[in-house]
Amino acid sequence: MDIQKTTGIVLSSKSVGESDVLCSVLTRDYGKRGFILKGLRKSRKRPQSVKEPGTVISLVYYFHPDRNLHIINECGIVESRREFHEDLGKIYTLSFILETVDKTTGEGTGETGIYPLLSGAIDTLAGLEEHVFLTAFFLIRLLKIYGLLPPFGVCAECGQRNPEKFHLMGADLKQLCERCAPPSWNGSLTRTAGPGYFSRLTERFIMHAQSYRFSKMPPEGYSAVEAKKLVLVLVGFLEGYFHIRINSKKFILSE
């Protein structure tokens, strides 16, 4: 049993018993871990906002390698995001990215890069107007960290480079030119409105997202309509790959 000190971003929380709170926290140093805040709901000394998703907290706790939950001895707020409460779009986007990380990251593990990615996304969201671009940008970067993002810029079947129009296969995110797209996607209706159909601008956005910081998004000319379609495909892939359901997707896709 060791005493560990770190900072972390609260991913989710729920009340248990009369006064305790269970929290899932993505820590800067140890990946995602589960914690118990004993007596928090009845405490007059500790701020209640330490349990709010998106809050950055400092924490001291005893680490037991054979346990999934650890009791927090000391905690404090490093950064709160209460200003998000005044913007419904920010609340929805924050909820989505937190839930996505929570449900795709294993307990006690955390791939290098997820913490700075999540922290950067939240910081950028604070001053952003069009939230769907950040959501798409975030998902692309997360998939790249997980090693799940295939190469882009060439048709996966025939090798055509930078096709003018292409489809993304929901099962594996392969990029296919119009000629190689499945027969079920033939016809004018699906070619212009299907969720897997995209213009070259989306290819540019995906390439851009892998190389630039959040402050550099989106590339000029990229539309919110295509960004929302891209989010739809990427979320569907994540849900299928990890066998999960991301409940907050309905809010960001309905904006």
Coordinates of all heavy atoms in Angstrom, one line a residue, residues 89-184:
G89 N -24.6 23.9 -25.3 CA -23.7 23.3 -26.2 C -22.4 22.8 -25.6 O -22.0 21.7 -25.9
K90 N -21.9 23.6 -24.8 CA -20.6 23.2 -24.1 C -20.9 22.1 -23.1 O -20.0 21.2 -23.0 CB -20.0 24.5 -23.3 CG -19.4 25.5 -24.2 CD -18.7 26.6 -23.4 CE -17.9 27.5 -24.3 NZ -18.6 28.2 -25.3
I91 N -22.0 22.1 -22.4 CA -22.3 21.1 -21.5 C -22.4 19.7 -22.2 O -21.9 18.7 -21.8 CB -23.6 21.4 -20.7 CG1 -23.5 22.6 -19.8 CG2 -24.1 20.1 -19.9 CD1 -24.7 23.0 -19.1
Y92 N -23.1 19.7 -23.3 CA -23.3 18.5 -24.1 C -22.0 18.0 -24.6 O -21.7 16.8 -24.6 CB -24.2 18.8 -25.3 CG -25.7 19.0 -25.0 CD1 -26.5 19.6 -25.9 CD2 -26.2 18.5 -23.8 CE1 -27.9 19.8 -25.6 CE2 -27.5 18.7 -23.5 CZ -28.4 19.3 -24.4 OH -29.7 19.5 -24.1
T93 N -21.1 18.9 -25.2 CA -19.8 18.5 -25.7 C -18.9 17.9 -24.6 O -18.2 16.9 -24.8 CB -19.2 19.6 -26.4 OG1 -20.0 20.1 -27.5 CG2 -17.8 19.2 -27.1
L94 N -18.9 18.6 -23.5 CA -18.1 18.2 -22.4 C -18.5 16.8 -21.9 O -17.7 15.9 -21.7 CB -18.2 19.2 -21.2 CG -17.4 18.8 -19.9 CD1 -15.9 18.7 -20.2 CD2 -17.7 19.8 -18.8
S95 N -19.8 16.6 -21.7 CA -20.4 15.3 -21.3 C -20.0 14.2 -22.3 O -19.6 13.1 -21.9 CB -21.9 15.4 -21.2 OG -22.3 16.3 -20.2
F96 N -20.0 14.5 -23.6 CA -19.7 13.5 -24.6 C -18.2 13.1 -24.5 O -17.9 11.9 -24.5 CB -20.0 14.0 -26.0 CG -19.5 13.1 -27.1 CD1 -20.3 12.0 -27.4 CD2 -18.4 13.4 -27.8 CE1 -19.8 11.1 -28.4 CE2 -17.9 12.5 -28.7 CZ -18.7 11.4 -29.1
I97 N -17.3 14.1 -24.5 CA -15.9 13.7 -24.5 C -15.5 13.0 -23.2 O -14.6 12.1 -23.2 CB -15.0 14.9 -24.8 CG1 -15.1 16.0 -23.8 CG2 -15.3 15.4 -26.2 CD1 -14.1 17.2 -24.0
L98 N -16.1 13.4 -22.1 CA -15.8 12.7 -20.8 C -16.3 11.3 -20.8 O -15.6 10.3 -20.4 CB -16.4 13.5 -19.6 CG -15.8 14.9 -19.3 CD1 -16.6 15.6 -18.3 CD2 -14.3 14.8 -18.9
E99 N -17.5 11.1 -21.3 CA -18.1 9.8 -21.3 C -17.3 8.9 -22.3 O -17.1 7.7 -22.0 CB -19.6 9.8 -21.8 CG -20.3 8.5 -21.8 CD -21.7 8.5 -22.3 OE1 -22.2 9.6 -22.6 OE2 -22.3 7.4 -22.3
T100 N -16.9 9.4 -23.4 CA -16.2 8.6 -24.4 C -14.8 8.1 -23.8 O -14.5 6.9 -24.0 CB -15.9 9.4 -25.7 OG1 -17.1 9.9 -26.2 CG2 -15.1 8.6 -26.7
V101 N -14.1 9.0 -23.1 CA -12.9 8.6 -22.5 C -13.1 7.6 -21.4 O -12.4 6.5 -21.3 CB -12.1 9.8 -21.9 CG1 -10.9 9.3 -21.1 CG2 -11.6 10.7 -23.1
D102 N -14.2 7.8 -20.6 CA -14.5 6.9 -19.5 C -14.8 5.5 -19.9 O -14.4 4.5 -19.3 CB -15.7 7.5 -18.7 CG -15.8 6.9 -17.3 OD1 -14.9 6.3 -16.8 OD2 -16.9 7.2 -16.7
K103 N -15.5 5.4 -21.1 CA -16.0 4.1 -21.5 C -15.0 3.4 -22.4 O -15.2 2.2 -22.7 CB -17.3 4.2 -22.2 CG -18.5 4.6 -21.2 CD -19.8 4.6 -21.9 CE -20.9 4.8 -20.8 NZ -22.3 4.8 -21.4
T104 N -14.0 4.1 -22.9 CA -13.0 3.4 -23.8 C -11.6 3.2 -23.1 O -10.7 2.7 -23.8 CB -12.8 4.2 -25.1 OG1 -12.3 5.6 -24.8 CG2 -14.1 4.3 -25.8
T105 N -11.5 3.7 -21.9 CA -10.2 3.6 -21.2 C -10.4 2.6 -20.0 O -11.3 2.7 -19.2 CB -9.7 4.9 -20.6 OG1 -9.7 5.9 -21.7 CG2 -8.4 4.8 -20.0
G106 N -9.5 1.6 -19.9 CA -9.6 0.6 -18.9 C -9.1 1.2 -17.5 O -8.3 2.1 -17.4
E107 N -9.6 0.5 -16.4 CA -9.2 0.9 -15.1 C -7.7 0.7 -14.9 O -7.2 -0.3 -15.3 CB -10.0 0.1 -14.1 CG -11.5 0.4 -14.0 CD -11.8 1.7 -13.4 OE1 -10.9 2.3 -12.7 OE2 -12.9 2.2 -13.6
G108 N -7.1 1.7 -14.3 CA -5.7 1.6 -14.0 C -4.8 1.7 -15.2 O -3.6 1.5 -15.1
T109 N -5.3 2.0 -16.3 CA -4.5 2.1 -17.5 C -4.8 3.5 -18.2 O -5.9 4.1 -18.0 CB -4.8 1.0 -18.5 OG1 -6.1 1.1 -19.0 CG2 -4.5 -0.3 -17.9
G110 N -4.0 3.9 -19.0 CA -4.2 5.1 -19.8 C -3.1 5.3 -20.8 O -1.9 5.5 -20.4
E111 N -3.5 5.2 -22.0 CA -2.5 5.3 -23.1 C -1.8 6.7 -23.0 O -2.5 7.7 -22.7 CB -3.1 5.1 -24.5 CG -3.4 3.6 -24.8 CD -4.7 3.1 -24.1 OE1 -5.3 3.9 -23.4 OE2 -5.1 2.0 -24.4
T112 N -0.6 6.8 -23.3 CA 0.1 8.1 -23.3 C -0.5 9.0 -24.2 O -0.8 8.7 -25.4 CB 1.6 7.9 -23.7 OG1 2.2 7.0 -22.8 CG2 2.4 9.2 -23.6
G113 N -0.8 10.2 -23.7 CA -1.4 11.2 -24.6 C -2.9 11.5 -24.3 O -3.4 12.5 -24.8
I114 N -3.6 10.6 -23.7 CA -5.0 10.8 -23.4 C -5.3 12.0 -22.5 O -6.1 12.8 -22.7 CB -5.7 9.5 -23.0 CG1 -5.7 8.5 -24.0 CG2 -7.2 9.8 -22.6 CD1 -6.4 7.2 -23.7
Y115 N -4.5 12.0 -21.4 CA -4.7 13.1 -20.4 C -4.5 14.5 -21.1 O -5.3 15.4 -21.0 CB -3.8 12.9 -19.2 CG -4.1 14.0 -18.1 CD1 -5.0 13.7 -17.1 CD2 -3.5 15.2 -18.1 CE1 -5.4 14.6 -16.2 CE2 -3.8 16.2 -17.2 CZ -4.8 15.8 -16.2 OH -5.1 16.8 -15.2
P116 N -3.3 14.7 -21.8 CA -3.2 16.0 -22.4 C -4.2 16.3 -23.5 O -4.6 17.4 -23.7 CB -1.7 16.0 -22.9 CG -1.3 14.6 -22.9 CD -2.1 13.9 -21.9
L117 N -4.6 15.2 -24.2 CA -5.7 15.4 -25.2 C -7.0 15.9 -24.6 O -7.6 16.8 -25.1 CB -5.9 14.1 -25.9 CG -7.1 14.1 -26.9 CD1 -6.8 15.0 -28.1 CD2 -7.4 12.7 -27.4
L118 N -7.4 15.2 -23.5 CA -8.6 15.6 -22.9 C -8.5 17.0 -22.2 O -9.4 17.8 -22.4 CB -9.0 14.6 -21.8 CG -10.3 14.8 -21.0 CD1 -11.5 14.9 -21.9 CD2 -10.5 13.7 -19.9
S119 N -7.4 17.3 -21.6 CA -7.2 18.6 -21.0 C -7.2 19.7 -22.0 O -7.9 20.7 -21.9 CB -5.9 18.6 -20.2 OG -5.6 19.8 -19.7
G120 N -6.6 19.4 -23.2 CA -6.5 20.4 -24.2 C -7.9 20.7 -24.9 O -8.3 21.8 -25.2
A121 N -8.7 19.6 -25.0 CA -10.0 19.7 -25.5 C -10.9 20.5 -24.6 O -11.7 21.4 -25.1 CB -10.6 18.3 -25.7
I122 N -10.8 20.3 -23.3 CA -11.7 21.1 -22.4 C -11.3 22.5 -22.4 O -12.1 23.4 -22.4 CB -11.6 20.5 -21.0 CG1 -12.2 19.0 -21.0 CG2 -12.3 21.3 -20.0 CD1 -12.0 18.3 -19.7
D123 N -10.0 22.8 -22.4 CA -9.5 24.2 -22.4 C -10.0 24.9 -23.7 O -10.4 26.1 -23.7 CB -8.0 24.2 -22.4 CG -7.4 23.9 -21.0 OD1 -8.2 23.9 -20.0 OD2 -6.2 23.6 -20.9
T124 N -9.9 24.2 -24.8 CA -10.3 24.8 -26.1 C -11.8 25.0 -26.1 O -12.3 26.1 -26.6 CB -9.9 23.9 -27.3 OG1 -8.5 23.7 -27.3 CG2 -10.3 24.6 -28.6
L125 N -12.6 24.1 -25.6 CA -14.1 24.2 -25.5 C -14.5 25.5 -24.8 O -15.5 26.1 -25.2 CB -14.6 23.0 -24.8 CG -16.2 22.9 -24.7 CD1 -16.8 22.9 -26.1 CD2 -16.6 21.7 -23.9
A126 N -13.7 26.0 -23.9 CA -14.1 27.1 -23.1 C -14.3 28.4 -24.0 O -15.2 29.2 -23.6 CB -13.1 27.4 -22.0
G127 N -13.6 28.5 -25.1 CA -13.7 29.7 -25.9 C -14.2 29.4 -27.3 O -14.0 30.2 -28.2
L128 N -14.9 28.3 -27.5 CA -15.3 27.8 -28.8 C -16.8 28.1 -29.1 O -17.6 28.0 -28.2 CB -15.0 26.3 -29.0 CG -14.9 25.7 -30.4 CD1 -13.7 26.3 -31.1 CD2 -14.8 24.2 -30.3
E129 N -17.1 28.4 -30.3 CA -18.5 28.7 -30.7 C -19.1 27.5 -31.4 O -20.2 27.0 -31.0 CB -18.5 29.9 -31.7 CG -18.1 31.2 -31.1 CD -19.1 31.7 -30.0 OE1 -20.2 31.3 -30.1 OE2 -18.6 32.4 -29.1
E130 N -18.4 26.9 -32.4 CA -18.9 25.7 -33.1 C -18.4 24.4 -32.5 O -17.2 24.0 -32.8 CB -18.5 25.8 -34.6 CG -19.3 24.9 -35.5 CD -20.8 25.1 -35.6 OE1 -21.1 26.2 -36.2 OE2 -21.5 24.3 -35.0
H131 N -19.2 23.8 -31.6 CA -18.7 22.7 -30.8 C -18.4 21.4 -31.6 O -17.6 20.6 -31.2 CB -19.7 22.4 -29.7 CG -20.0 23.6 -28.9 ND1 -21.3 24.0 -28.7 CD2 -19.2 24.5 -28.4 CE1 -21.3 25.1 -28.0 NE2 -20.1 25.4 -27.8
V132 N -19.1 21.2 -32.8 CA -19.0 20.0 -33.5 C -17.6 19.8 -34.1 O -17.1 18.6 -34.2 CB -20.1 19.9 -34.6 CG1 -19.8 20.9 -35.7 CG2 -20.2 18.5 -35.2
F133 N -16.9 20.9 -34.4 CA -15.6 20.7 -34.9 C -14.6 20.1 -33.9 O -13.8 19.3 -34.1 CB -15.0 22.1 -35.4 CG -15.7 22.6 -36.6 CD1 -16.2 23.9 -36.5 CD2 -15.9 21.9 -37.7 CE1 -16.9 24.5 -37.7 CE2 -16.6 22.4 -38.8 CZ -17.0 23.7 -38.8
L134 N -14.8 20.6 -32.6 CA -14.0 20.1 -31.5 C -14.3 18.6 -31.3 O -13.4 17.8 -31.1 CB -14.2 20.8 -30.3 CG -13.3 20.4 -29.1 CD1 -12.8 21.6 -28.3 CD2 -14.1 19.5 -28.1
T135 N -15.5 18.2 -31.4 CA -15.9 16.8 -31.1 C -15.3 15.9 -32.2 O -14.7 14.9 -31.8 CB -17.4 16.7 -31.2 OG1 -18.1 17.6 -30.3 CG2 -17.9 15.3 -30.9
A136 N -15.4 16.3 -33.5 CA -14.8 15.5 -34.5 C -13.2 15.4 -34.4 O -12.6 14.4 -34.5 CB -15.1 16.1 -35.9
F137 N -12.6 16.6 -34.1 CA -11.2 16.7 -33.9 C -10.7 15.8 -32.8 O -9.8 15.0 -32.9 CB -10.9 18.2 -33.6 CG -9.5 18.6 -33.9 CD1 -9.2 19.2 -35.1 CD2 -8.4 18.5 -33.0 CE1 -7.9 19.6 -35.4 CE2 -7.2 18.9 -33.3 CZ -6.9 19.5 -34.5
F138 N -11.5 15.8 -31.7 CA -11.1 15.0 -30.5 C -11.2 13.5 -30.8 O -10.3 12.8 -30.4 CB -12.1 15.4 -29.4 CG -11.9 14.5 -28.1 CD1 -10.9 14.8 -27.2 CD2 -12.7 13.4 -27.9 CE1 -10.7 14.0 -26.1 CE2 -12.6 12.6 -26.8 CZ -11.6 12.9 -25.9
L139 N -12.3 13.1 -31.5 CA -12.4 11.7 -31.8 C -11.3 11.2 -32.7 O -10.8 10.0 -32.5 CB -13.8 11.4 -32.5 CG -15.0 11.6 -31.5 CD1 -16.3 11.5 -32.4 CD2 -15.0 10.5 -30.4
I140 N -10.9 12.0 -33.7 CA -9.8 11.5 -34.6 C -8.5 11.4 -33.8 O -7.8 10.4 -34.0 CB -9.6 12.6 -35.7 CG1 -10.9 12.6 -36.6 CG2 -8.4 12.3 -36.5 CD1 -10.9 13.8 -37.5
R141 N -8.2 12.3 -32.9 CA -7.0 12.2 -32.1 C -7.0 11.0 -31.2 O -6.0 10.4 -31.0 CB -6.8 13.5 -31.4 CG -6.5 14.7 -32.3 CD -5.2 14.7 -32.9 NE -4.1 15.0 -32.0 CZ -3.6 16.2 -31.8 NH1 -4.2 17.2 -32.5 NH2 -2.7 16.4 -31.0
L142 N -8.2 10.8 -30.6 CA -8.3 9.7 -29.6 C -8.1 8.4 -30.4 O -7.4 7.5 -29.9 CB -9.7 9.7 -29.0 CG -10.0 8.7 -27.9 CD1 -9.1 9.0 -26.7 CD2 -11.4 8.7 -27.5
L143 N -8.7 8.2 -31.5 CA -8.6 7.0 -32.3 C -7.1 6.8 -32.7 O -6.6 5.6 -32.8 CB -9.5 7.0 -33.6 CG -11.0 6.8 -33.3 CD1 -11.8 7.3 -34.6 CD2 -11.3 5.4 -33.0
K144 N -6.4 7.9 -33.0 CA -5.0 7.8 -33.4 C -4.2 7.3 -32.2 O -3.3 6.4 -32.3 CB -4.5 9.1 -33.9 CG -3.1 9.0 -34.4 CD -2.6 10.4 -34.9 CE -1.1 10.3 -35.4 NZ -0.6 11.6 -35.9
I145 N -4.5 7.8 -31.0 CA -3.8 7.3 -29.8 C -4.0 5.8 -29.6 O -3.1 5.1 -29.2 CB -4.2 8.2 -28.6 CG1 -3.7 9.6 -28.7 CG2 -3.7 7.5 -27.3 CD1 -4.2 10.5 -27.6
Y146 N -5.2 5.4 -29.8 CA -5.6 4.0 -29.6 C -5.0 3.1 -30.7 O -5.1 1.9 -30.6 CB -7.1 3.8 -29.5 CG -7.7 4.3 -28.3 CD1 -9.1 4.8 -28.3 CD2 -7.1 4.3 -27.0 CE1 -9.7 5.2 -27.1 CE2 -7.7 4.7 -25.9 CZ -9.0 5.2 -25.9 OH -9.6 5.6 -24.8
G147 N -4.5 3.7 -31.8 CA -4.0 2.9 -32.9 C -5.1 2.3 -33.8 O -4.9 1.3 -34.5
L148 N -6.2 3.0 -33.8 CA -7.4 2.5 -34.5 C -7.7 3.3 -35.8 O -8.6 2.9 -36.5 CB -8.6 2.5 -33.6 CG -8.6 1.6 -32.3 CD1 -9.8 1.8 -31.5 CD2 -8.4 0.2 -32.7
L149 N -7.0 4.3 -36.0 CA -7.2 5.2 -37.2 C -6.4 4.7 -38.4 O -5.2 4.7 -38.4 CB -6.9 6.6 -36.9 CG -7.4 7.7 -37.8 CD1 -8.9 7.7 -37.7 CD2 -6.8 9.0 -37.5
P150 N -7.1 4.2 -39.4 CA -6.4 3.7 -40.6 C -5.7 4.9 -41.4 O -6.1 6.1 -41.2 CB -7.5 3.0 -41.4 CG -8.7 3.8 -41.1 CD -8.6 4.1 -39.6
P151 N -4.8 4.6 -42.3 CA -4.2 5.7 -43.2 C -5.3 6.3 -44.0 O -6.2 5.7 -44.5 CB -3.2 4.9 -44.0 CG -3.0 3.6 -43.3 CD -4.2 3.3 -42.6
F152 N -5.1 7.6 -44.2 CA -6.1 8.4 -45.1 C -5.3 9.0 -46.2 O -4.1 9.2 -46.2 CB -6.8 9.4 -44.3 CG -8.0 8.9 -43.5 CD1 -7.8 8.3 -42.3 CD2 -9.3 9.0 -44.0 CE1 -8.9 7.8 -41.6 CE2 -10.3 8.5 -43.4 CZ -10.2 7.9 -42.1
G153 N -6.1 9.3 -47.3 CA -5.5 10.0 -48.4 C -5.4 9.1 -49.6 O -5.0 9.5 -50.7
V154 N -5.9 7.8 -49.5 CA -5.9 6.8 -50.6 C -7.0 5.8 -50.4 O -7.3 5.4 -49.3 CB -4.5 6.1 -50.6 CG1 -4.2 5.4 -49.3 CG2 -4.4 5.2 -51.8
C155 N -7.6 5.4 -51.5 CA -8.7 4.4 -51.4 C -8.1 3.1 -51.0 O -7.1 2.6 -51.5 CB -9.4 4.3 -52.8 SG -10.6 2.9 -52.8
A156 N -8.7 2.5 -50.0 CA -8.2 1.2 -49.4 C -8.3 0.1 -50.4 O -7.6 -0.9 -50.2 CB -8.9 0.9 -48.1
E157 N -9.1 0.2 -51.4 CA -9.3 -0.9 -52.4 C -8.5 -0.8 -53.6 O -7.7 -1.6 -54.0 CB -10.8 -1.0 -52.7 CG -11.7 -1.5 -51.6 CD -11.4 -2.9 -51.1 OE1 -10.9 -3.7 -52.0 OE2 -11.6 -3.2 -49.9
C158 N -8.6 0.4 -54.3 CA -7.9 0.5 -55.6 C -6.7 1.4 -55.6 O -5.9 1.4 -56.5 CB -8.9 1.1 -56.6 SG -9.3 2.8 -56.3
G159 N -6.5 2.1 -54.4 CA -5.3 2.9 -54.3 C -5.4 4.3 -54.9 O -4.3 5.0 -54.9
Q160 N -6.5 4.7 -55.3 CA -6.7 6.0 -55.9 C -6.3 7.0 -54.8 O -6.9 7.0 -53.7 CB -8.1 6.3 -56.4 CG -8.3 7.7 -56.9 CD -9.8 7.9 -57.3 OE1 -10.6 7.0 -57.4 NE2 -10.1 9.2 -57.5
R161 N -5.5 8.0 -55.1 CA -5.1 9.0 -54.1 C -6.0 10.2 -54.1 O -6.4 10.7 -55.1 CB -3.7 9.4 -54.4 CG -2.6 8.3 -54.4 CD -1.2 8.8 -54.3 NE -0.9 9.5 -53.1 CZ -0.6 8.9 -51.9 NH1 -0.5 7.6 -51.9 NH2 -0.4 9.6 -50.9
N162 N -6.4 10.7 -52.9 CA -7.2 11.9 -52.7 C -8.4 11.9 -53.6 O -8.6 12.8 -54.4 CB -6.4 13.1 -53.0 CG -5.1 13.2 -52.2 OD1 -4.0 13.2 -52.7 ND2 -5.2 13.2 -50.9
P163 N -9.3 10.8 -53.4 CA -10.5 10.8 -54.2 C -11.4 12.1 -53.9 O -11.4 12.5 -52.8 CB -11.2 9.6 -53.8 CG -10.6 9.2 -52.4 CD -9.2 9.7 -52.5
E164 N -12.0 12.6 -55.0 CA -12.9 13.8 -54.8 C -14.0 13.5 -53.9 O -14.4 14.4 -53.1 CB -13.4 14.2 -56.2 CG -14.0 15.6 -56.2 CD -13.0 16.7 -55.9 OE1 -11.9 16.6 -56.3 OE2 -13.5 17.7 -55.3
K165 N -14.6 12.3 -54.0 CA -15.7 11.9 -53.1 C -15.3 10.5 -52.6 O -14.8 9.7 -53.3 CB -17.0 11.9 -53.8 CG -17.5 13.2 -54.4 CD -18.8 13.0 -55.2 CE -19.2 14.4 -55.8 NZ -20.5 14.2 -56.5
F166 N -15.7 10.3 -51.3 CA -15.3 9.0 -50.7 C -16.3 8.6 -49.6 O -17.1 9.4 -49.2 CB -13.9 9.0 -50.2 CG -13.7 9.8 -49.0 CD1 -13.8 9.3 -47.7 CD2 -13.4 11.2 -49.1 CE1 -13.6 10.1 -46.6 CE2 -13.1 12.0 -48.0 CZ -13.3 11.4 -46.7
H167 N -16.3 7.3 -49.3 CA -17.1 6.8 -48.2 C -16.2 6.3 -47.1 O -15.0 5.9 -47.3 CB -17.9 5.6 -48.7 CG -18.9 6.0 -49.7 ND1 -20.2 6.4 -49.4 CD2 -18.8 6.0 -51.1 CE1 -20.8 6.6 -50.6 NE2 -20.0 6.4 -51.6
L168 N -16.7 6.4 -45.8 CA -16.0 5.8 -44.7 C -16.8 4.6 -44.3 O -18.0 4.7 -44.0 CB -15.9 6.8 -43.5 CG -14.9 7.9 -43.6 CD1 -14.9 8.7 -42.4 CD2 -13.5 7.3 -43.8
M169 N -16.1 3.4 -44.2 CA -16.8 2.2 -43.8 C -16.9 2.2 -42.3 O -15.9 2.3 -41.6 CB -16.0 1.0 -44.3 CG -15.8 0.9 -45.8 SD -17.4 0.6 -46.6 CE -17.7 -1.1 -46.1
G170 N -18.2 2.1 -41.8 CA -18.4 2.2 -40.4 C -17.7 1.1 -39.6 O -17.4 1.3 -38.4
A171 N -17.5 -0.1 -40.2 CA -17.0 -1.2 -39.4 C -15.5 -1.1 -39.1 O -15.0 -1.5 -38.1 CB -17.2 -2.5 -40.2
D172 N -14.7 -0.4 -40.1 CA -13.3 -0.3 -39.9 C -12.7 1.0 -40.3 O -11.5 1.2 -40.3 CB -12.6 -1.4 -40.7 CG -13.0 -1.5 -42.1 OD1 -13.6 -0.5 -42.6 OD2 -12.8 -2.5 -42.8
L173 N -13.5 2.0 -40.7 CA -13.1 3.3 -41.1 C -12.2 3.4 -42.3 O -11.5 4.4 -42.5 CB -12.4 4.0 -39.9 CG -13.2 4.2 -38.6 CD1 -12.4 5.0 -37.6 CD2 -14.5 5.0 -38.9
K174 N -12.3 2.3 -43.1 CA -11.6 2.4 -44.4 C -12.2 3.4 -45.3 O -13.4 3.6 -45.4 CB -11.6 1.0 -45.1 CG -10.7 0.0 -44.4 CD -10.7 -1.3 -45.2 CE -9.8 -2.3 -44.6 NZ -9.8 -3.6 -45.3
Q175 N -11.3 4.1 -46.0 CA -11.7 5.1 -47.0 C -11.8 4.5 -48.4 O -10.9 3.9 -48.9 CB -10.7 6.2 -47.0 CG -11.0 7.4 -48.0 CD -9.9 8.4 -48.0 OE1 -8.8 8.2 -47.5 NE2 -10.1 9.6 -48.5
L176 N -13.0 4.6 -49.0 CA -13.2 4.0 -50.3 C -13.7 5.1 -51.3 O -14.5 5.9 -50.9 CB -14.3 2.9 -50.2 CG -14.0 1.7 -49.3 CD1 -15.2 0.8 -49.4 CD2 -12.7 1.0 -49.8
C177 N -13.1 5.1 -52.5 CA -13.6 6.0 -53.5 C -15.0 5.6 -54.0 O -15.5 4.5 -53.6 CB -12.6 6.1 -54.7 SG -12.5 4.5 -55.6
E178 N -15.6 6.4 -54.8 CA -17.0 6.1 -55.3 C -17.0 4.8 -56.0 O -18.0 4.1 -55.9 CB -17.5 7.3 -56.1 CG -17.9 8.5 -55.4 CD -18.6 9.5 -56.3 OE1 -17.9 10.1 -57.2 OE2 -19.8 9.7 -56.1
R179 N -16.0 4.6 -56.8 CA -16.0 3.3 -57.6 C -16.0 2.1 -56.8 O -16.6 1.0 -57.1 CB -14.8 3.4 -58.6 CG -14.8 2.2 -59.6 CD -13.6 2.3 -60.5 NE -12.3 2.3 -59.8 CZ -11.2 2.5 -60.4 NH1 -11.1 2.7 -61.7 NH2 -10.0 2.5 -59.7
C180 N -15.3 2.2 -55.6 CA -15.1 1.0 -54.8 C -16.1 0.9 -53.7 O -16.1 -0.1 -52.9 CB -13.7 1.0 -54.2 SG -12.4 0.9 -55.4
A181 N -17.0 1.9 -53.6 CA -18.0 1.9 -52.5 C -19.0 0.7 -52.7 O -19.2 0.2 -53.8 CB -18.8 3.2 -52.5
P182 N -19.5 0.1 -51.6 CA -20.4 -1.0 -51.6 C -21.6 -0.7 -52.5 O -22.1 0.4 -52.6 CB -20.9 -1.2 -50.2 CG -19.8 -0.6 -49.4 CD -19.3 0.6 -50.2
P183 N -22.2 -1.7 -53.2 CA -23.3 -1.5 -54.1 C -24.5 -0.9 -53.4 O -25.3 -0.2 -54.0 CB -23.7 -3.0 -54.5 CG -22.4 -3.7 -54.4 CD -21.7 -3.1 -53.2
S184 N -24.7 -1.2 -52.1 CA -25.8 -0.6 -51.4 C -25.8 0.9 -51.3 O -26.8 1.6 -51.0 CB -25.9 -1.2 -50.0 OG -24.7 -0.9 -49.3

